[in-house]
Amino acid sequence: MPNDDRTAFGEYLRRRRAAITPPERPGRARTPARRVPGLRRQEVAEIAGISVEYYTRLEQGRAPRPSREVIAALARALELSGAERDHVFRLAGEPPPGPRSPGAAIRPGLLRMLRDLDDSMPVTVHDGRLDLLALNAASADLLRPLATAGPYRRNIAYQVFTATALPDLLGDEGADQLTRVAAAELRTALGRYPDDHYLRSLHTELTATSATFRDRWERGEVAAWRSAVKRIRHPDRGWLNFGIEMLHDPERDHWVMLYTPRDPA
């Protein structure tokens, strides 16, 4: 880690340490008034499980690059938010850790946006395991033919490989393309959450029941699709063109898919 990075890392540790209110310790006599706000170096070091000498060198920019375990311990000791933790990892020259699992709750503002766009634009939200978390009325109307049953019915990859109406919805070429994308997205999800029982069970289920999935999986493709133009057959209005954009909330690992209407098909 270059010297400038060590200095910035140490300065950030000092600022965060000064911003923390020292905890009350029941049953202990009140400590003398502090000359500076926040935690003492010794207190941070004790919480993080490192020596105060090493922590002091980190703050002063004189220590070698800390390990990921030390950075994570310091983030906990300094009560950093997810965004602050990611920032301190980058200051230390390390990529931030990914979430262990996608967030369960959608941001309220995002849910309001879905409702506000009910009459003008289909919008869906799915997580990093490809489970559909929410969709507005416009997308529910458009994607009706993908509805499936069973324990994986909310999963996009499962819907793609089990919904018999997929060619009617997208046409043969569009359906073929989406099956490739779905298999690649599932491979990406398993790479991010390799120990996730749900994803591994889903992969086992699709491998056992879908020849199309087995064929697409054998291609070994990994998804990098974020924009597309799709031709979709609306159940009532016929063929429609949409420009599709995917936006990512990395803290929750949620994906927002916007279907922007384009010129008539």
Side-chain angles (χ1 to χ4, degrees):
M1 183 165 47
N3 186 62
D4 287 347
D5 290 342
R6 289 203 300 267
T7 300
F9 181 72
E11 288 177 351
Y12 191 75
L13 294 181
R14 285 197 299 273
R15 292 194 192 100
R16 292 303 308 165
R17 178 168 61 85
I20 297 178
T21 302
E24 293 290 337
R25 300 191 177 186
R28 295 193 181 185
R30 183 179 296 273
T31 57
R34 296 173 182 246
R35 290 176 295 176
V36 294
L39 294 179
R40 297 185 174 96
R41 286 173 175 167
Q42 181 176 353
E43 292 170 322
V44 174
E46 288 177 353
I47 298 171
I50 60 178
S51 71
V52 66
E53 292 80 8
Y54 178 49
Y55 179 76
T56 300
R57 291 199 304 273
L58 285 172
E59 278 202 359
Q60 293 173 346
R62 298 188 295 110
R65 177 187 300 211
S67 68
R68 294 183 64 82
E69 292 76 16
V70 167
I71 302 168
L74 289 171
R76 292 189 295 270
L78 296 171
E79 302 175 3
L80 301 187
S81 67
E84 291 166 341
R85 178 207 61 192
D86 291 352
H87 179 65
V88 83
F89 264 86
R90 294 188 185 99
L91 286 177
E94 291 284 343
R100 293 184 179 179
S101 62
I106 301 175
R107 290 187 287 111
L110 184 54
L111 288 174
R112 286 194 296 272
M113 184 190 77
L114 264 68
R115 291 192 297 268
D116 291 344
L117 293 174
D118 267 345
D119 297 327
S120 57
M121 180 187 299
V123 185
T124 65
V125 181
H126 66 270
D127 65 18
R129 297 195 301 179
L130 306 180
D131 269 358
L132 188 64
L133 302 179
L135 68 170
N136 65 354
S139 61
D141 191 37
L142 178 67
L143 302 176
R144 230 182 300 162
L146 289 182
T148 58
Y152 307 108
R153 62 186 179 277
R154 293 171 52 219
N155 190 273
I156 295 172
Y158 185 78
Q159 292 173 354
V160 167
F161 287 104
T162 60
T164 58
L166 187 65
D168 292 333
L169 181 68
L170 299 175
D172 290 338
E173 183 178 346
D176 179 75
Q177 180 189 46
L178 186 57
T179 57
R180 290 180 59 185
V181 169
E185 290 281 5
L186 182 56
R187 188 183 298 277
T188 299
L190 277 164
R192 188 164 199 184
Y193 304 113
D195 299 321
D196 188 280
H197 176 72
Y198 172 83
L199 286 173
R200 296 175 75 87
S201 297
L202 171 61
H203 175 263
T204 299
E205 172 74 13
L206 289 175
T207 300
T209 59
S210 173
T212 302
F213 175 76
R214 292 193 296 271
D215 174 74
R216 302 301 186 265
W217 189 261
E218 285 300 316
R219 300 186 185 202
E221 295 174 326
V222 178
W225 173 73
R226 299 294 174 257
S227 299
V229 175
K230 278 192 177 296
R231 186 168 176 258
I232 303 175
R233 191 201 304 268
H234 189 279
D236 303 318
R237 297 163 57 195
W239 287 106
L240 302 173
N241 281 341
F242 292 93
I244 298 178
E245 290 293 330
M246 292 181 63
L247 309 177
H248 190 215
D249 176 355
E251 186 173 355
R252 292 172 171 80
D253 196 15
H254 290 175
W255 292 90
V256 184
M257 188 176 294
L258 305 169
Y259 293 72
T260 307
R262 298 172 69 95
D263 294 334

